[in-house]
């Protein structure tokens, strides 16, 4: 008798929806983990994660990521074109599950009936998208509010397995944090590259002024900085314009006069757009 009960329990566990859901989540985690070693294109990484979520979460037909940039919501990743339409309906109405999740930092799961009552303007604008129920989870990096991860269903009650969704969202949130750091690192690299390019332009300009006017390094930079301050023109832009002007001038006798003239007038061409 005991053996029969054990066999029955084993068969029940094998058929358990929650067990199958956890297995599905484990597969998603396995797929996502492989991304950590090769994060390069952040948007592509987020898109792949959203695709995996749609495959894993029961009822999910599409997914997307909303971020808050300069106080405004922006959709950066979608798995289906209709997601942008749903998000646009929320942004235009200034209400909806993803905006609520991002603002309150709490998950928002709504059926079609709840959405129609809680967000009437959004629901009216959303009528033609085909999406009927929603699960939005806030995404934060440290104390910084970042946005929301959004799942969409064409069913009126698309997200009955909330536990599975929560597990998946937790995994994605941690990966989003990594992706955000990768994105920040790329911006720092781009900024450093721009700074180095700017330094090269300034050094070239300073070198020409030194040689032609027969002055020291400090004197050349002081002269350029004086023109920058007098004309309210950034040093980098002023130097770039000076180099462009001199490259277009025939070099020969009177070079000192030419450099002096360019120094005194380059700011006008910067203001005029070159």
């Amino acid at each position: 008798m005991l053996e029969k009960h054990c066999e029955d329990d084993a068969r029940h566990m094998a058929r358990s929806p929650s067990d199958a859901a956890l297995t599905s989540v484990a597969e998603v985690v396995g797929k996502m983990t492989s991304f950590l070693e090769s994060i390069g294109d952040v948007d592509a990484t987020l898109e792949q994660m959203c695709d995996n979520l749609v495959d894993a979460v029961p009822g999910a037909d599409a997914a997307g990521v909303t971020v808050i940039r300069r106080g405004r919501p922006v959709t950066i990743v979608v798995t289906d074109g209709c997601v942008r339409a749903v998000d646009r309906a929320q942004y235009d109405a200034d209400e909806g599950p993803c905006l609520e999740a991002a603002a309150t930092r709490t998950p928002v799961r709504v059926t079609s009936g709840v959405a129609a009552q809680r967000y009437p303007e959004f629901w009216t604008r959303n009528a033609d998208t085909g999406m009927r129920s929603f699960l939005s989870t806030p995404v934060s990096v440290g104390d910084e509010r970042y946005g929301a991860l959004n799942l969409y269903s064409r069913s009126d009650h698309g997200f009955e397995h909330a536990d599975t969704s929560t597990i998946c969202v937790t995994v994605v949130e941690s990966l989003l944090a990594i992706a955000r750091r990768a994105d920040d690192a790329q911006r720092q690299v781009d900024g450093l590259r721009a700074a180095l390019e700017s330094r090269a332009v300034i050094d070239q300009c300073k070198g020409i002024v030194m040689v032609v006017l027969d002055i020291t390094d400090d004197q050349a930079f002081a002269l350029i900085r004086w023109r920058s301050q007098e004309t309210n023109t950034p040093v980098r832009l002023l130097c770039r314009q000076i180099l462009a002007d001199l490259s277009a001038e025939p070099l020969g006798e009177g070079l000192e006069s030419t450099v002096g003239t360019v120094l005194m007038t380059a700011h006008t061409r910067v203001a005029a757009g070159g």
Side-chain angles (χ1 to χ4, degrees):
M1 180 68 69
L2 179 59
E3 291 178 355
K4 184 177 186 304
H5 280 302
C6 289
E7 290 174 358
D8 290 342
D9 288 344
R11 283 195 296 270
H12 175 73
M13 290 177 65
R15 293 193 300 267
S16 170
S18 61
D19 186 64
L22 289 175
T23 300
S24 180
V25 171
E27 292 174 353
V28 172
V29 173
K31 291 179 182 178
M32 291 180 175
T33 301
S34 65
F35 298 148
L36 297 181
E37 298 177 356
S38 59
I39 286 182
D41 186 331
V42 174
D43 286 352
T45 301
L46 297 180
E47 184 175 351
Q48 184 62 63
M49 287 192 294
C50 286
D51 284 336
N52 289 337
L53 269 177
V54 172
D55 291 339
V57 178
D61 293 307
V65 176
T66 294
V67 298
I68 307 300
R69 289 178 176 167
R70 298 178 181 177
R72 294 179 177 274
V74 179
T75 301
I76 61 169
V77 171
V78 300
T79 62
D80 189 296
C82 68
V83 170
R84 294 193 184 278
V86 177
D87 287 354
R88 175 50 55 194
Q90 295 186 71
Y91 305 160
D92 289 346
D94 196 26
E95 63 179 20
C98 85
L99 297 183
E100 182 178 340
T104 63
R105 298 195 185 191
T106 56
V108 176
R109 179 166 65 98
V110 292
T111 62
S112 58
V114 172
Q117 293 181 0
R118 188 182 299 180
Y119 319 113
E121 185 173 349
F122 156 65
W123 191 246
T124 299
R125 294 174 181 269
N126 181 65
D128 295 331
T129 68
M131 294 302 172
R132 307 286 296 172
S133 54
F134 314 89
L135 174 62
S136 294
T137 300
V139 176
S140 300
V141 179
D143 294 330
E144 181 182 357
R145 191 178 71 198
Y146 187 41
L149 171 69
N150 310 303
L151 299 176
Y152 307 86
S153 177
R154 293 185 174 89
S155 169
D156 288 323
H157 301 273
F159 300 106
E160 294 180 346
H161 300 288
D163 290 343
T164 304
S165 301
T166 300
I167 294 171
C168 287
V169 166
T170 300
V171 173
V172 172
E173 182 167 354
S174 65
L175 294 182
L176 279 173
I178 294 172
R180 177 66 182 276
R181 288 196 293 272
D183 199 17
D184 289 343
Q186 184 60 53
R187 282 198 295 270
Q188 290 178 349
V189 169
D190 292 342
L192 179 59
R193 183 179 294 112
L196 291 174
E197 291 173 354
S198 175
R199 177 63 181 270
V201 168
I202 294 172
D203 284 346
Q204 289 178 41
C205 182
K206 185 172 61 174
I208 291 174
V209 173
M210 284 174 56
V211 172
V212 174
L213 300 186
D214 192 21
I215 56 180
T216 67
D217 180 286
D218 289 341
Q219 289 172 330
F221 184 68
L223 182 59
I224 294 170
R225 185 172 56 187
W226 167 66
R227 293 306 301 152
S228 169
Q229 293 173 345
E230 283 290 308
T231 62
N232 196 29
T233 306
V235 170
R236 174 179 57 84
L237 297 182
L238 185 65
C239 287
R240 180 178 295 170
Q241 187 63 52
I242 290 171
L243 292 176
D245 290 346
L246 292 177
S247 67
E249 290 284 342
L251 301 182
E253 293 185 4
L255 183 57
E256 182 176 340
S257 175
T258 298
V259 170
T261 300
V262 168
L263 268 171
M264 297 301 293
T265 61
H267 68 281
T268 61
R269 289 177 290 284
V270 172

